[in-house]
Amino acid sequence: MIEFEGVRYVYPNGVEALKGVSLRIGEGELVALVGPNGAGKTTLIKHMNGLLKPTEGRVRVFGIDTRKASVAELSRRVGIVFQNSDRQLFSETVEEEIRFGLENFGFSKEEASERVEEMLERFGLEPYRNTSPFSLSGGEKKRLCIALVLAWDPDVLVLDEPTVGQDWANKEKIRGLIESLLKEGKSVVVSSHDLEFVWSLKPRVLVMSDGRVVMDGRAEEVLSRDGIEEFRLLRPRLLELYMRLKKKPRRPFFEVRELEEWVKVEVGG
Amino acid sequence: MIRDVAFGFVYTKKDSPVHGLDARIKLVLSAYLIALSLMAGDPFGLLLSAAWIASVVLLGRVGRRMGKNLIYATLFSVVIFAVDLLSGYGLVDAAIYAARFEVIVASASTFFLITSPDEFEYVMRWLRLPRDLIFSFVASVRFVPVLMLDAIQITDSQKSRGLELEKGNPVKRLRSFIPILIPLVIDAVMRSNSLAEAMEVRAYGATDRPTSLYELEMTRSDWIALTLSTIAFSVSIIFIL
């Protein structure tokens, strides 16, 4: 679905941000991109809808070479939600903000209205329909930014640092949304420094460092490896606890609820 | 195009005899260049000004950056030449006006290419200009690259929402910049507000006479540069007049 083949990317100022990345993201897959600042995560993401074209190598999105397609064509299939909400909003009302992308992609008036209604309801933004997007809270703005991308129903949703500046309740809402998108068969890519959040999603984890993918595998397998600190990653607490237990359950705890259940069985009561 | 023109006015640190001069000498040198280009009214004067600028540019090794800038300035020079001709000026006069514009752009560009925003600040302080004015000026100069980066990020976001800047008639193309300009302006206002608050919590304005870590100091090479440039400027003025 999204394939990177030996992708190298050099910015105009000479910085080599990707140094031969090869990977494949399949249908219905949940992938978390982790790694230190400057590892190349955002550069990688920008290749997924053609905002950046590889200096060397090839990126194919649903079989289309990104060098031969416009950003708009690719964005129709791969929707990216960028980190800073304020840099995406400009309309007078929440409703118009959602409608903007739909108009750009040529949806009919009726279909656009239907989708706007669906998004307002799904993301709890109905009361703010005629409100300025700039007067929303941080959590509401984030929900709006996700809604305005999901409105055109892309096959892949890419979230760049979705939990930055979000409180616990909002993080839970984002987590719930990702889980529901996966149930709908969509693929989700999450770039994040928030390993506790990433862990709770049980994703496939790609660790990036210095423009390369240095680790790739299931979260429990990658994050339990020795030496992840080298990539400035702090192991999630539930995994750390699991690894320190002498008598371990069959698989690590992804949620506190699972830990609670295990304690009840082992200790009793 | 905008990037090339902008880079023709953006300082980059270099190890050159011109870059190492005291900021006040750079200001004097630049004032001489601008004065000469404004006073030059005939081919000889313009050539003299151009030679002056070329020597500073060569010593400062900023020719490449200025070159791109001048290519775009030439486009405007051609327009000036054509308008002057149509307005009834002679061929020589029209050429002189067009060349003068080019020389003025080059002298202004030289000043910005060899003088950093920090140096502006030191000189303005030395000139005892009001502190708020100095700070506003320096902050706005420093904001330019930050805003350029913001503009790139906003453009990426909006292109990802299907916005196509290169499609449609000129009116449609202009309108498609609205989704970029509005977040950019709002972001800039928010950023300046945060900066104002950050300055306040660091006691900006608490005293009328704040101390300074850096003091301007003239070295031997600064005095030599000042003397030589003043002599050369005076001689050039005599020739031009």
Side-chain angles (χ1 to χ4, degrees):
Chain A
M1 210 171 57
I2 299 182
E3 286 171 278
F4 283 70
E5 295 168 22
V7 174
R8 199 174 147 256
Y9 184 76
V10 184
Y11 279 101
N13 63 3
V15 173
E16 190 178 359
L18 296 181
K19 300 174 179 173
V21 172
S22 295
L23 61 96
R24 190 180 177 281
I25 297 169
E27 213 177 309
E29 203 172 5
L30 171 61
V31 176
L33 282 174
V34 300
N37 291 329
K41 302 188 293 292
T42 303
T43 306
L44 188 87
I45 283 175
K46 286 185 178 179
H47 276 81
M48 293 182 186
N49 72 348
L51 278 170
L52 296 178
K53 315 280 184 193
T55 309
E56 267 175 39
R58 188 162 57 167
V59 179
R60 281 193 297 187
V61 175
F62 293 93
I64 304 164
D65 189 327
T66 58
R67 279 173 301 196
K68 292 171 186 159
S70 70
V71 177
E73 282 171 87
L74 297 164
S75 295
R76 182 69 183 82
R77 312 281 313 256
V78 181
I80 300 183
V81 181
F82 288 94
Q83 182 183 334
N84 191 328
S85 306
D86 287 319
R87 292 188 186 154
Q88 293 162 67
L89 309 172
F90 74 97
S91 302
E92 274 185 54
T93 65
V94 166
E95 186 179 342
E96 284 172 36
E97 197 68 66
I98 300 175
R99 195 178 277 274
F100 175 71
L102 296 168
E103 287 169 355
N104 287 332
F105 288 119
F107 282 79
S108 68
K109 209 176 168 186
E110 295 73 33
E111 202 177 349
S113 298
E114 250 175 55
R115 292 198 180 210
V116 169
E117 293 306 320
E118 197 188 319
M119 289 302 123
L120 287 172
E121 200 191 318
R122 183 172 188 178
F123 288 90
L125 294 167
E126 181 73 30
Y128 311 110
R129 173 193 292 271
N130 296 315
T131 308
S132 163
F134 294 102
S135 62
L136 299 179
S137 71
E140 287 157 355
K141 277 183 191 169
K142 180 57 81 182
R143 292 210 307 274
L144 173 59
C145 285
I146 299 174
L148 57 88
V149 171
L150 278 182
W152 67 79
D153 196 28
D155 300 289
V156 184
L157 182 72
V158 183
L159 299 161
D160 191 10
E161 297 289 356
T163 58
V164 168
Q166 302 299 311
D167 59 25
W168 172 83
N170 278 324
K171 282 187 193 181
E172 280 304 297
K173 279 181 188 161
I174 296 169
R175 189 163 78 99
L177 170 77
I178 293 172
E179 282 167 357
S180 71
L181 289 174
L182 291 169
K183 277 182 197 152
E184 288 168 28
K186 294 195 187 299
S187 305
V188 181
V189 178
V190 180
S191 164
S192 182
H193 282 108
D194 187 345
L195 276 192
E196 296 292 341
F197 175 75
V198 165
W199 179 250
S200 69
L201 295 168
K202 306 177 201 170
R204 167 186 165 196
V205 170
L206 296 178
V207 180
M208 288 197 72
S209 175
D210 192 28
R212 293 186 177 87
V213 175
V214 289
M215 290 184 195
D216 182 357
R218 299 304 316 162
E220 56 272 34
E221 185 242 321
V222 168
L223 298 176
S224 56
R225 281 189 209 168
D226 288 333
I228 61 158
E229 300 80 10
E230 190 191 321
F231 305 111
R232 300 193 186 179
L233 299 176
L234 187 65
R235 199 165 278 128
R237 281 167 300 170
L238 284 173
L239 177 61
E240 187 67 45
L241 175 74
Y242 171 81
M243 289 171 72
R244 289 187 189 193
L245 287 174
K246 279 183 185 156
K247 188 186 165 196
K248 292 183 195 341
R250 211 160 34 85
R251 61 184 201 98
F253 316 109
F254 284 95
E255 289 174 42
V256 175
R257 182 183 46 80
E258 293 173 359
L259 170 66
E260 262 177 336
E261 281 166 13
W262 180 78
V263 170
K264 273 181 194 164
V265 173
E266 290 300 311
V267 183
Chain B
M1 176 188 167
I2 294 169
R3 185 178 286 228
D4 287 336
V5 173
F7 279 165
F9 290 94
V10 176
Y11 170 84
T12 43
K13 205 174 175 182
K14 276 197 173 160
D15 186 21
S16 84
V18 177
H19 283 76
L21 290 174
D22 183 284
R24 289 166 294 185
I25 304 301
K26 288 185 197 176
L27 185 73
V28 171
L29 201 61
S30 306
Y32 286 166
L33 292 181
I34 293 169
L36 273 177
S37 43
L38 287 172
M39 290 168 84
D42 58 17
F44 172 73
L46 286 169
L47 272 176
L48 198 67
S49 303
W52 254 82
I53 295 166
S55 56
V56 177
V57 166
L58 285 174
L59 278 171
R61 301 202 310 272
V62 289
R64 210 168 163 185
R65 275 183 168 240
M66 188 192 277
K68 280 187 181 173
N69 189 11
L70 288 185
I71 291 170
Y72 294 107
T74 307
L75 297 176
F76 282 97
S77 297
V78 170
V79 174
I80 291 169
F81 178 74
V83 170
D84 284 347
L85 272 185
L86 290 172
S87 312
Y89 285 95
L91 204 68
V92 177
D93 282 342
I96 286 174
Y97 287 128
R100 183 189 261 176
F101 172 74
E102 196 94 0
V103 172
I104 290 171
V105 171
S107 52
S109 173
T110 309
F111 177 60
F112 286 104
L113 284 171
I114 61 170
T115 316
S116 74
D118 284 342
E119 288 173 317
F120 282 136
E121 190 180 345
Y122 305 151
V123 173
M124 285 195 281
R125 258 196 233 158
W126 179 74
L127 290 170
R128 298 195 181 278
L129 293 175
R131 196 174 174 224
D132 287 346
L133 181 84
I134 298 172
F135 185 77
S136 310
F137 178 76
V138 173
S140 55
V141 170
R142 286 200 185 122
F143 260 90
V144 172
V146 177
L147 285 177
M148 271 173 77
L149 224 89
D150 285 351
I152 291 169
Q153 286 180 4
I154 293 166
T155 308
D156 280 351
S157 301
Q158 306 301 34
K159 278 165 91 176
S160 299
R161 292 170 73 187
L163 180 73
E164 293 187 282
L165 298 167
E166 296 87 12
K167 272 193 177 171
N169 58 43
V171 178
K172 199 185 166 212
R173 284 185 192 205
L174 269 179
R175 280 191 63 186
S176 60
F177 276 95
I178 294 171
I180 294 168
L181 286 176
I182 293 176
L184 186 64
V185 171
I186 289 172
D187 204 51
V189 171
M190 281 160 64
R191 204 185 273 275
S192 57
N193 207 22
S194 306
L195 179 67
E197 285 171 357
M199 296 304 295
E200 260 190 291
V201 297
R202 284 190 279 168
Y204 178 83
T207 169
D208 289 336
R209 295 178 68 88
T211 52
S212 175
L213 187 61
Y214 302 101
E215 294 295 339
L216 290 172
E217 216 170 298
M218 291 281 279
T219 62
R220 210 170 134 228
S221 50
D222 291 320
W223 285 113
I224 293 170
L226 180 65
T227 312
L228 288 178
S229 58
T230 306
I231 292 169
F233 176 70
S234 310
V235 173
S236 306
I237 290 292
I238 291 165
F239 272 110
I240 285 175
L241 295 176

